[in-house]
Amino acid sequence: MMPRIFGLFAALALGGASLIATESNAQATDTETLPALTQQIRPASGGWFREHSNLGNINFDISDSGIAAGNWSTYRDGKPIWYYFQGNIQYNNPEEALADGVIAIADLPLLEVTTGGPCLTCDYVPPVFRQNGKIRLEFTSTRTARFIHNDSPAIEVVAWMQASPLFERRDYSGDWVVTVSRRPLSGDSAPEVGTTFQTAVKARLEPLVGPETYSMHSPSNVTSREVPIEPGARRYTFACSQPSECSVLNSEIFTLNEPCLSCLLPSRDFLILFFNADEVGELVGMADSENENGPGFSIDDNERIWKAYGSDDRILVRYSGRLERGVGEPAAYTLEIEMHRLPTGLFNTAGSAP
Amino acid sequence: MKSGKIDWRKNWLAAGTVVAVALGLCNTAAGQATEIESRFKSAYKLGPAAGGWYQPDSNLGNINFDVSDTGVVAGNWSTFRDGKPIWYYFQGEIQYSSDEVEKQTGVIAVAESPLVEVLTGGACPSCTYIPPIFAEPAHRMRLEFTSSRSARFIYDDTTPIPILAWMQGAPLFAPRDYSGEWLAIARHDSYSAVLPRHVDLIAHIRLEALTGAESYSSTALNPEQLAAISPPTGARRYKLSCVGPSKSCDSLMTDDNIFDVNATNFPLLWIGDDESGRVLLATANATEGYSLSSNFASPGTAFRIYGERDSVKARRSVSPTESATYGITEIVLKRLPNGFFDGREWGDLSSSIPF
């Protein structure tokens, strides 16, 4: 008999003690030699749904150790039913995420709740469960996923409290604390470009003003990819506002152009952080540009994709890879930039030099 | 938003399975406070964990919700009637407690909502869409959150039921361990006739689990006071130390409005089962246990802390009715994953200025 403390989760616990012991074995590393990423892109906890479908609501939370569990409220033959589910979440490494867009996967057996107590305040009657099918969630961002019930076709679902279609899109403008950690492959580069770099700075994100006209710019004039910014994307200039650290950050990590060199390659006069509709975007170097179509922006196509994932008050930018180019930065490194929102007015000095 | 005025049937049907009314439910615009007044209010909200909540050994089932950036709380409640599975949607606006209310009542936020029962829906998930049919809301619920993972659930006027965010700790999961590296974001604003001031800083700090005996003494507190502030048995206890930058550490540790440590004591941070707790000043005793200082011991000046997943929020405030020198100190810890920082120095991120 399952311990009573589990209440409705008696069957869910599937051997309750294992819940405490189980750890996600997901560890995102690029190769054996690159420093490992220290954190994962975690899907939003709460409710997920599909507009104009019979899906109902999927609700879950993810434990610190990587257990995804929750319930699915839906219908069978028009009648309300609900299931519990529980399983480990598997986080993909950056290469996998870049390849197919999937940041994490959860395969979850379903336990249908068939009966329970007569009413909320009545004497407790342990619910009765039966195993009935499975679901698979393939997360493509913190708020988008594919939902697969048994072997049915995948249904696109979204975390419904996190933005459209029911809520306004998140605005990331404002003041942030930015922690930066770049860890190059040991012994891979000359000391001046290969040292571990870490800092914390204050920064401000401000909406980028200008047309949605872009071009990719590569020193070789052979671009590696299409413009990654979708029409309507939220775009913000990233301005470091803590001077003593900013100069090092801008030159060593962001490799922004010095003012006197802005007319030369590459086109990295300033940084922008953009987010497409699914809260996934990038941190990219950019410069103003003008061509026969008028003014626009030139995106530095440096072939390293610094992917950005937004959530409520946190942005995570990450990269882990090797690129043999002698451009003043280590060839192989892992970079993580984690940003935490500063409430408006928290610091007198946010956005200016202390 | 006035929840009672929603045409639930119309709105919910329009959105398919979830409320369309959420659109544009945005602002809990408060009155226009002056800049100075706003400085004495908490900048960070204390809120509940998103996801599933429950009560072991009850017929409650599961309450699931999320809270939007703008304070809309919505989700569903899966429960039973006459032993059969049923479920409701709910949606309302979360009301975050002021610092004063939180200090007096322990309630950090409240959410109220009508309950909208789902009567019928489609044949199966992949079948042709049939809009669900909802009952007119005949019942209500109220959630009174006392920490990020504990709350009171009140259905209509029935007796409150204590509930827990079930993925966030005991009894189903191991209690969260807060030891490790953190980024501390702190500020203090105070007013006095002599020296109104503002301090802010960002520092790299470390929390180390304390392993000493769970016995506490004090030369400055009477037994009743000591019992009131001592960590409860089994509480998670951590020694807080500052790694850098040095100027930020100086402000964090020695400013008399923040931790105000001396040569022998240290900030002891404890968190109980409900993920709330306190920061105290402690000195390790030569024999066993810890000696606690009177700093932060009184209810009016205590550092109250609330743990969340990757964040710990601490704040203390003194109101004008409590002291001629009043103000607020807020410290928010954001977890630095293992290996993110290795402890090397980075530049100063602190300031202390009058205003």
Side-chain angles (χ1 to χ4, degrees):
Chain A
M1 182 179 172
M2 294 288 181
R4 292 262 298 172
I5 60 163
F6 289 88
L8 288 177
F9 295 94
L12 171 71
L14 296 172
S18 67
L19 275 171
I20 292 177
T22 304
E23 288 288 334
S24 166
N25 57 10
Q27 183 63 268
T29 57
D30 180 27
T31 72
E32 287 183 0
T33 53
L34 274 169
L37 291 166
T38 62
Q39 50 202 319
Q40 313 293 358
I41 312 297
R42 185 162 43 206
S45 294
W48 293 58
F49 88 123
R50 164 79 190 197
E51 215 181 4
H52 297 301
S53 82
N54 300 323
L55 191 72
N57 253 83
I58 311 150
N59 298 272
F60 60 83
D61 194 1
I62 299 172
S63 77
D64 299 353
S65 57
I67 296 170
N71 73 357
W72 175 25
S73 305
T74 185
Y75 320 92
R76 181 185 302 116
D77 300 329
K79 293 180 181 171
I81 60 170
W82 50 282
Y83 301 89
Y84 280 115
F85 55 77
Q86 176 194 306
N88 274 6
I89 193 162
Q90 303 294 328
Y91 292 101
N92 282 346
N93 65 40
E95 278 193 345
E96 293 168 328
L98 286 175
D100 63 6
V102 176
I103 59 168
I105 293 172
D107 284 301
L108 306 157
L110 291 170
L111 290 169
E112 183 179 347
V113 183
T114 57
T115 61
C119 77
L120 177 66
T121 54
C122 300
D123 288 342
Y124 174 53
V125 177
V128 176
F129 305 89
R130 64 167 179 157
Q131 187 130 13
N132 187 6
K134 62 184 179 181
I135 58 173
R136 177 182 174 89
L137 290 164
E138 297 176 347
F139 298 100
T140 49
S141 78
T142 57
R143 66 169 302 254
T144 57
R146 294 189 284 270
F147 171 89
I148 302 164
H149 179 217
N150 293 329
D151 297 319
S152 300
I155 298 172
E156 304 287 336
V157 294
V158 297
W160 68 278
M161 295 285 285
Q162 299 294 313
S164 62
L166 295 181
F167 286 80
E168 291 177 0
R169 296 190 308 171
R170 181 166 288 130
D171 180 6
Y172 293 97
S173 59
D175 296 314
W176 297 77
V177 172
V178 182
T179 54
V180 181
S181 175
R182 187 186 69 184
R183 302 178 296 281
L185 185 61
S186 178
D188 187 63
S189 304
E192 66 272 18
V193 294
T195 51
T196 294
F197 182 93
Q198 57 195 33
T199 193
V201 298
K202 299 172 193 169
R204 176 167 290 164
L205 297 182
E206 293 187 349
L208 174 67
V209 177
E212 293 189 90
T213 306
Y214 315 98
S215 60
M216 299 299 286
H217 181 274
S218 168
S220 65
N221 289 325
V222 179
T223 55
S224 66
R225 59 186 180 131
E226 300 292 317
V227 170
I229 309 176
E230 296 172 357
R234 287 151 289 168
R235 311 172 303 173
Y236 305 94
T237 55
F238 178 105
C240 181
S241 57
Q242 211 283 335
S244 64
E245 294 291 296
C246 289
S247 59
V248 182
L249 185 65
N250 286 338
S251 62
E252 187 160 336
I253 302 298
F254 298 150
T255 60
L256 294 181
N257 296 328
E258 296 293 332
C260 62
L261 298 177
S262 62
C263 54
L264 303 177
L265 304 176
S267 55
R268 293 181 72 85
D269 286 351
F270 56 92
L271 283 178
I272 74 152
L273 190 55
F274 72 84
F275 292 95
N276 293 324
D278 60 358
E279 310 305 318
V280 179
E282 293 180 34
L283 184 64
V284 294
M286 206 179 239
D288 293 318
S289 72
E290 183 144 7
N291 60 23
E292 64 275 13
N293 298 319
F297 299 104
S298 171
I299 299 170
D300 180 30
D301 181 16
N302 71 352
E303 300 180 48
R304 298 189 196 270
I305 299 175
W306 291 2
K307 210 80 174 172
Y309 298 88
S311 55
D312 48 1
D313 57 359
R314 176 175 179 258
I315 296 169
L316 185 61
V317 179
R318 66 182 192 177
Y319 167 81
S320 185
R322 172 186 289 277
L323 184 65
E324 299 294 347
R325 290 195 344 175
V327 291
E329 58 179 344
Y333 65 85
T334 295
L335 172 72
E336 290 177 283
I337 301 172
E338 186 170 20
M339 301 173 59
H340 298 286
R341 184 182 282 285
L342 284 173
T344 304
L346 181 73
F347 283 6
N348 269 354
T349 51
S352 61
Chain B
M1 176 200 139
K2 304 294 184 189
S3 299
K5 293 184 178 178
I6 290 174
D7 180 343
W8 287 100
R9 187 181 302 267
K10 178 182 175 184
N11 284 316
W12 289 62
L13 287 174
T17 53
V18 185
V19 244
V21 284
L23 273 168
L25 286 186
C26 289
N27 292 315
T28 54
Q32 297 295 317
T34 67
E35 183 185 348
I36 295 296
E37 286 171 335
S38 67
R39 287 195 183 284
F40 298 113
K41 293 179 178 173
S42 299
Y44 282 95
K45 296 184 177 77
L46 300 171
W53 292 61
Y54 86 125
Q55 159 71 244
D57 274 346
S58 82
N59 298 323
L60 189 74
N62 249 85
I63 304 153
N64 300 274
F65 62 83
D66 194 1
V67 183
S68 79
D69 299 354
T70 54
V72 177
V73 58
N76 70 359
W77 175 27
S78 305
T79 185
F80 312 93
R81 180 185 303 117
D82 300 329
K84 293 180 181 172
I86 61 170
W87 51 282
Y88 299 90
Y89 278 116
F90 57 83
Q91 176 191 300
E93 202 165 345
I94 196 162
Q95 302 295 329
Y96 294 101
S97 299
S98 68
D99 198 43
E100 283 302 303
V101 169
E102 179 256 317
K103 264 204 292 192
Q104 290 165 9
T105 66
V107 174
I108 61 169
V110 172
E112 285 187 279
S113 171
L115 292 164
V116 180
E117 184 177 348
V118 181
L119 299 177
T120 63
C124 74
S126 55
C127 300
T128 304
Y129 174 54
I130 297 174
I133 294 174
F134 305 94
E136 289 292 341
H139 301 282
R140 297 183 63 79
M141 67 163 203
R142 176 182 169 91
L143 293 165
E144 296 176 346
F145 299 102
T146 50
S147 77
S148 65
R149 69 169 304 246
S150 61
R152 294 186 286 268
F153 172 85
I154 304 167
Y155 173 73
D156 288 336
D157 295 320
T158 59
T159 305
I161 299 174
I163 58 173
L164 288 171
W166 68 278
M167 297 281 284
Q168 301 294 315
L172 292 183
F173 286 81
R176 178 166 292 131
D177 180 5
Y178 291 93
S179 59
E181 310 295 310
W182 296 79
L183 193 73
I185 302 163
R187 67 107 180 190
H188 169 78
D189 281 287
S190 64
Y191 177 80
S192 74
V194 179
L195 184 64
R197 59 193 290 256
H198 168 90
V199 176
D200 62 48
L201 64 93
I202 299 170
H204 174 188
I205 67 151
R206 181 171 295 137
L207 297 182
E208 295 171 274
L210 287 175
T211 55
E214 293 185 275
S215 69
Y216 307 97
S217 59
S218 175
T219 56
L221 301 170
N222 64 41
E224 190 175 299
Q225 292 170 322
L226 181 63
I229 67 163
S230 297
T233 302
R236 288 153 285 171
R237 305 170 305 165
Y238 304 93
K239 177 181 181 178
L240 187 153
S241 57
C242 192
V243 179
S246 53
K247 189 178 170 193
S248 294
C249 286
D250 284 347
S251 293
L252 179 71
M253 301 301 277
T254 63
D255 190 291
D256 57 7
N257 285 300
I258 309 183
F259 288 142
D260 195 19
V261 300
N262 59 32
T264 58
N265 62 16
F266 62 88
L268 184 158
L269 185 152
W270 66 259
I271 296 182
D273 287 342
D274 65 353
E275 307 304 304
S276 71
R278 278 194 175 217
V279 180
L280 307 166
L281 290 184
T283 304
N285 288 333
T287 51
E288 64 167 18
Y290 301 92
S291 176
L292 304 182
S293 153
S294 62
N295 292 35
F296 317 140
S298 72
T301 61
F303 259 115
R304 302 171 315 284
I305 63 173
Y306 294 89
E308 298 173 2
R309 185 189 299 275
D310 293 319
S311 178
V312 177
K313 294 171 182 167
R315 67 189 188 190
R316 61 185 284 261
S317 61
V318 179
S319 70
T321 57
E322 292 171 315
S323 171
T325 300
Y326 59 92
I328 186 168
T329 304
E330 282 186 289
I331 304 168
V332 176
L333 309 184
K334 298 287 185 181
R335 185 178 282 284
L336 290 168
N338 288 337
F340 193 90
F341 278 2
D342 62 10
R344 71 188 63 200
E345 184 93 346
W346 33 270
D348 174 57
L349 279 170
S350 68
S351 65
S352 177
I353 53 176
F355 60 83

